[in-house]
Amino acid sequence: MDDTKNPPQVPFAFPFVVAKPPQPQVCLNTVVLLRALLKQAEAGKVKGIVAATLESDGAYQLLLEGEVLNANNQMVVLGMLTVLQKAILDL
């Protein structure tokens, strides 16, 4: 049989595409702030932290760590949160 006149049929191939999930956007201001806070904590200047984090999916976390968990510091933490609330309302 002579295949030169009728070459074998090759099925049409769809291009292979790999979908990658979108990369999260990095907030450089947040990274700079966290690095500065880390340096201060390593130097012993920051003894505790109260943080509200906003995640890329819109969720949030409330974090308390360090000396802010000491029962003697409850009023200090409430004062910090009051000042934060005022700052947010003034935006």
Side-chain angles (χ1 to χ4, degrees):
M1 179 176 220
D2 184 10
D3 286 335
T4 57
K5 292 182 182 177
N6 294 321
Q9 296 267 335
V10 177
F12 178 75
F14 290 99
F16 184 69
V17 178
V18 176
K20 293 182 180 179
Q23 295 297 315
Q25 297 294 318
V26 175
C27 178
L28 294 179
N29 291 340
T30 301
V31 173
V32 168
L33 173 64
L34 289 172
R35 285 183 178 147
L37 287 172
L38 177 59
K39 285 181 182 180
Q40 291 177 23
E42 290 174 335
K45 294 179 181 177
V46 173
K47 301 276 186 186
I49 190 167
V50 177
T53 64
L54 178 60
E55 298 175 9
S56 58
D57 63 358
Y60 66 90
Q61 290 185 39
L62 299 174
L63 309 165
L64 289 88
E65 193 56 64
E67 291 296 317
V68 298
L69 296 174
N70 185 331
N72 296 332
N73 291 328
Q74 288 178 341
M75 294 308 292
V76 173
V77 173
L78 287 174
M80 293 166 60
L81 294 174
T82 300
V83 171
L84 179 60
Q85 181 182 18
K86 182 178 181 331
I88 291 169
L89 291 173
D90 289 344
L91 289 176

